[in-house]
Amino acid sequence: MRILALLKRIIHQMVRDKRALAMMMVAPLLILTLLHYLLSSNTVDPRLGVTGVDETLVSQLKDKDIIVKQYDAQANLKQVIKDDDLDGFLQFDGDHINLTLINEQPSAAKALQMQVTQAIAAENAKEQAAKITTFIQTIQSKLQGAPIKLDQTKAPAISTKFIYGNEDTTFFDQLSPILVGFFVFFFVFLISGIALLRERTTGTLDRLLATPIQRRDIVFGYLSGYGLFAIIQTLIVVFYAVKVLDIMLVGSLWNVIIINLCLALVALSLGILLSAFANSEFQMMQFIPIAIIPQVFFAGIFPVEGMPEWMQVIAKCMPMYYGGDALVSVMYKGLGLSDIGIDLLVLLGFALVFIVLNVIALKKYRKI
Amino acid sequence: MSASISIKNVSKSFGKKVVLNNISLSVEPGQIYGLIGPSGSGKTTLVKLIVGMDRPSEGLVHVLDTPVPNLNLLQEIGYMAQADALYTDLTAEENLAFFASLFKLSKKVQKERIAYAADLVNLTDHLKKRVQDYSGGMKRRLSLAVALIQDPQVLVLDEPTVGIDPELRQSIWAEIQRLKMTGKTILVTTHVMDEAEKCDRLAMVRDGEIITSGSPQELKEHYGITSLEEVFLKAGGEKK
Ligand SMILES: Nc1ncnc2c1ncn2[C@@H]1O[C@H](COP(=O)(O)OP(=O)(O)OP(=O)(O)O)[C@@H](O)[C@H]1O
Ligand SMILES: [Mg+2]
């Protein structure tokens, strides 16, 4: 029942600490909203200057949503591109083709380069086809007898199917499940870690340990107290993401909540554990770049399979790796509980290890 | 019954630094035992060994015939730390209620003890106030109230009257005397000599060693001086 006493106290404290409460409940929503609008905003059509390019190619480029501007031959391309705010310049000089790209944003430049190359290739193919036709016709006219019929190859229509997502899925749809999990992880880590740290630095932990409370009761008291707020936070974040931001959720909402609760439990026990190695709030913050930020990298935003062997090993030590995988599986791929079972078990395993370590770490403050 | 607190040949070092060196003392039930010594002499370290927050490097500590550390024993030890350890974002009442609920006490007894302890330190009117709005003396008094909350047999008070005005100090000492009458054993640390006068027995601590001990009267007679302050200086001098 000492756990209950601790739980009650933490609720009292938390309800009074409006800032911490706001940080836990509102901050993730703000960041999520911002990212949502940033990542799903429309891309701007690229602007391409051209010179010596024939009309058919120009109209092809225009079909690809490229804004084409015709120029006379230009001497100083760099200046023109800068002055007229172009993304690239295409120059036909006899047989020679020059494409100059501003490359302010490599990904946009690559996309433009690809579109231009495709358009030119298509144009060439058409010309080639026309030439072959005239060639055959010429030969035919020189031959006697019935004309050989030339079958026109029709361009095959490709119909694309998507196993996960659809043609409208954006990067944000794949990213958002990871972000939801990460925010839950991050804020729970911070709040619980700093709370136990404060308990230690103000001496109340010592005072607490001068009562007959067991060390594990303290750990479980903390877990239940901050766990309660983590549950509320998880519910708010998940509902907001799904209902308000309309983030893609193919699988079950309940599974999403279960995954996030497991993540919160890991964050909670990790936060409390790391706070034992910090002597001030600032030192607690220093754990963020070491213990928290790398979690994002391995959560599935960058494909882990492509990483070097040793980095894959690191990835497998990160709770967010499993959390991210489970969340993407449910929210994006629509998989069920049986597919994320392993992920959940690993997460619970992390939590269990951290909890045991916590109970041991408290020995530093009281030997029994 | 044997001694309430018994310390035998206790030494404590942190790394290479020896903080307590072969200390032995015993406190009889119903006694007020004073530990007096300058800053850094090791009083708090000794107190923490008695409560069981730390283990001695050598030697044995027994409280109520039970080897320390022992969790159940903490039910019978009321500890007032030197630094106030209170939840400043909670009210005084919530602090008391929280600590009360950590002990084996029925709900009804908890209520009674909270009222009793608050009244004892004159904080009944300020129970609803948050501790962050308390003055230093009020916090000290609340810490004392927390130490008394479970009605323990043994009280260990680390400089209980620091930052408390003379009038209240009087009343706190009066209460310590009254607690003694009810059979409680009290160990106090202090560096104020006039408080030392009020103890039944005194141990003077210096550099981790007990330089002399006895009742205030005995000490004065032994050294042939009338003030404890001089006893302290003289005993310390002889040691060197
Ligand atoms: N955890 C620790 N690690 C290292 N040294 C310590 C530790 N705790 C106490 N000390 C050292 O032990 C010595 C005695 O400290 P202690 O707090 O017991 O003194 P004190 O008699 O209570 O002093 P004061 O009257 O100022 O409270 C000091 O020199 C202190 O630096
Ligand atoms: Mg001290």
Side-chain angles (χ1 to χ4, degrees):
Chain A
M1 291 324 79
R2 293 180 178 130
I3 298 180
L4 224 64
L6 222 59
L7 170 71
K8 206 170 136 194
R9 193 204 84 208
I10 289 172
I11 294 175
H12 269 142
Q13 287 180 302
M14 204 59 186
V15 170
R16 301 252 161 92
D17 193 353
K18 297 283 185 299
R19 273 179 70 132
L21 210 57
M23 176 164 115
M24 206 172 170
M25 305 297 169
V26 183
L29 306 190
L30 278 177
I31 304 176
L32 216 53
T33 312
L34 270 176
L35 275 171
H36 174 68
Y37 285 108
L38 277 176
L39 292 176
S40 49
S41 60
N42 295 323
T43 44
V44 185
D45 289 339
R47 293 159 56 83
L48 183 72
V50 295
T51 174
V53 175
D54 65 57
E55 273 312 310
T56 44
L57 183 58
V58 169
S59 67
Q60 276 233 22
L61 290 170
K62 281 182 178 163
D63 283 348
K64 287 184 185 291
D65 282 336
I66 297 173
I67 300 168
V68 181
K69 246 183 122 183
Q70 303 265 14
Y71 286 87
D72 298 332
Q74 292 292 335
N76 192 348
L77 277 185
K78 201 170 167 186
Q79 201 55 46
V80 177
I81 290 177
K82 270 191 186 164
D83 288 349
D84 291 1
D85 199 14
L86 300 174
D87 294 297
F89 202 99
L90 184 64
Q91 241 179 342
F92 270 65
D93 189 6
D95 272 353
H96 205 74
I97 306 172
N98 264 327
L99 177 63
T100 314
L101 293 169
I102 188 160
N103 205 19
E104 265 178 345
Q105 285 171 335
S107 63
K110 289 250 161 48
L112 181 58
Q113 185 189 11
M114 196 153 87
Q115 282 174 330
V116 170
T117 327
Q118 273 175 1
I120 294 173
E123 192 62 22
N124 275 347
K126 242 195 229 162
E127 254 172 57
Q128 192 70 23
K131 276 183 190 154
I132 290 176
T133 317
T134 16
F135 175 69
I136 290 174
Q137 275 164 359
T138 327
I139 292 180
Q140 200 122 70
S141 64
K142 300 211 167 137
L143 289 172
Q144 264 77 36
I148 305 164
K149 224 169 130 50
L150 178 69
D151 276 332
Q152 289 278 346
T153 349
K154 256 190 260 157
I158 304 173
S159 76
T160 316
K161 287 209 186 83
F162 299 86
I163 294 186
Y164 304 128
N166 53 46
E167 64 226 344
D168 293 327
T169 23
T170 62
F171 182 47
F172 185 67
D173 289 313
Q174 189 224 332
L175 190 63
S176 55
I178 297 169
L179 288 179
V180 168
F182 177 71
F183 289 142
V184 168
F185 191 90
F186 177 69
F187 287 102
V188 169
F189 170 87
L190 208 59
I191 300 264
S192 65
I194 287 185
L196 189 71
L197 180 87
R198 209 179 287 163
E199 177 109 40
R200 216 152 47 78
T201 51
T202 56
T204 48
L205 182 63
D206 262 351
R207 187 62 194 81
L208 200 55
L209 286 166
T211 71
I213 195 168
Q214 306 224 317
R215 277 181 285 131
R216 62 160 184 274
D217 285 351
I218 296 183
V219 175
F220 285 119
Y222 258 75
L223 286 179
S224 56
Y226 288 95
L228 182 75
F229 288 96
I231 290 174
I232 299 173
Q233 187 212 31
T234 304
L235 291 178
I236 293 179
V237 172
V238 170
F239 274 100
Y240 182 81
V242 172
K243 302 287 176 208
V244 180
L245 293 186
D246 209 16
I247 282 174
M248 193 157 101
L249 171 67
V250 188
S252 139
L253 182 61
W254 296 111
N255 286 346
V256 176
I257 290 172
I258 291 174
I259 300 166
N260 276 307
L261 288 183
C262 289
L263 269 176
L265 188 64
V266 177
L268 200 54
S269 44
L270 180 66
I272 297 177
L273 183 63
L274 288 188
S275 79
F277 303 99
N279 289 321
S280 64
E281 266 102 341
F282 182 57
Q283 287 191 354
M284 192 67 203
M285 298 302 240
Q286 290 166 358
F287 280 122
I288 295 176
I290 302 169
I292 304 301
I293 304 291
Q295 304 261 356
V296 199
F297 301 152
F298 296 105
I301 297 178
F302 309 108
V304 172
E305 292 79 26
M307 294 178 186
E309 200 79 14
W310 62 273
M311 272 176 90
Q312 292 196 25
V313 174
I314 296 180
K316 303 236 159 74
C317 302
M318 301 271 172
M320 266 312 289
Y321 170 77
Y322 302 94
D325 181 62
L327 283 168
V328 172
S329 296
V330 171
M331 294 179 78
Y332 184 74
K333 300 182 182 170
L335 302 182
L337 201 55
S338 56
D339 299 290
I340 55 168
I342 304 274
D343 285 329
L344 291 184
L345 279 181
V346 176
L347 284 179
L348 291 177
F350 271 113
L352 188 70
V353 171
F354 292 150
I355 290 170
V356 172
L357 289 177
N358 267 314
V359 177
I360 298 173
L362 277 179
K363 262 197 168 165
K364 194 170 144 198
Y365 302 98
R366 187 181 69 190
K367 303 302 170 201
I368 46 167
Chain B
M1 198 180 147
S2 53
S4 286
I5 303 174
S6 133
I7 296 173
K8 286 207 187 79
N9 308 107
V10 161
S11 300
K12 175 78 192 172
S13 1
F14 294 104
K16 282 212 175 92
K17 188 173 159 62
V18 180
V19 175
L20 293 178
N21 185 14
N22 200 19
I23 294 225
S24 296
L25 61 84
S26 79
V27 184
E28 302 303 319
Q31 231 176 25
I32 302 178
Y33 197 103
L35 280 178
I36 187 160
S39 188
S41 54
K43 303 182 297 292
T44 301
T45 309
L46 184 59
V47 159
K48 283 192 170 170
L49 294 182
I50 295 171
V51 179
M53 314 278 289
D54 219 336
R55 276 184 208 275
S57 312
E58 270 167 65
L60 291 173
V61 179
H62 282 79
V63 175
L64 302 172
D65 295 325
T66 314
V68 173
N70 178 303
L71 267 195
N72 292 325
L73 193 58
L74 288 170
Q75 178 83 23
E76 290 305 333
I77 303 178
Y79 171 52
M80 176 176 175
Q82 181 170 3
D84 293 309
L86 300 161
Y87 297 99
T88 51
D89 40 0
L90 299 183
T91 66
E93 192 171 27
E94 285 163 345
N95 268 281
L96 288 171
F98 170 64
F99 283 108
S101 58
L102 296 177
F103 293 98
K104 284 192 214 92
L105 301 174
S106 70
K107 276 265 164 332
K108 186 167 156 282
V109 175
Q110 282 184 26
K111 277 229 167 62
E112 287 168 11
R113 293 299 304 175
I114 292 171
Y116 163 81
D119 181 53
L120 179 73
V121 294
N122 272 336
L123 284 177
T124 309
D125 296 337
H126 305 280
L127 275 180
K128 303 278 179 214
K129 233 192 222 171
R130 288 209 209 164
V131 175
Q132 63 201 20
D133 301 331
Y134 267 32
S135 73
M138 287 164 93
K139 285 186 194 154
R140 212 66 206 121
R141 280 141 65 192
L142 184 58
S143 293
L144 180 61
V146 170
L148 292 168
I149 201 77
Q150 81 271 32
D151 197 12
Q153 269 306 308
V154 176
L155 279 168
V156 177
L157 312 175
D158 200 353
E159 302 194 13
T161 53
V162 167
I164 295 187
D165 62 80
E167 201 174 325
L168 199 68
R169 196 146 85 190
Q170 288 277 320
S171 80
I172 284 182
W173 269 97
E175 184 54 33
I176 292 178
Q177 306 276 5
R178 211 186 61 73
L179 288 166
K180 168 201 154 146
M181 293 304 168
T182 64
K184 308 230 184 284
T185 309
I186 299 148
L187 184 113
V188 271
T189 76
T190 178
H191 27 213
V192 186
M193 293 295 164
D194 70 333
E195 289 188 349
E197 295 272 8
K198 300 187 172 112
C199 300
D200 299 320
R201 277 186 80 82
L202 275 179
M204 294 189 167
V205 190
R206 187 162 209 164
D207 295 329
E209 291 179 31
I210 294 184
I211 48 177
T212 181
S213 68
S215 72
Q217 203 51 42
E218 280 168 16
L219 289 179
K220 284 187 233 167
E221 276 167 18
H222 177 88
Y223 291 95
I225 333 175
T226 48
S227 98
L228 279 175
E229 200 135 16
E230 285 173 62
V231 172
F232 188 81
L233 293 173
K234 198 153 181 191
E238 276 174 16
K239 196 87 190 173
K240 281 183 181 160

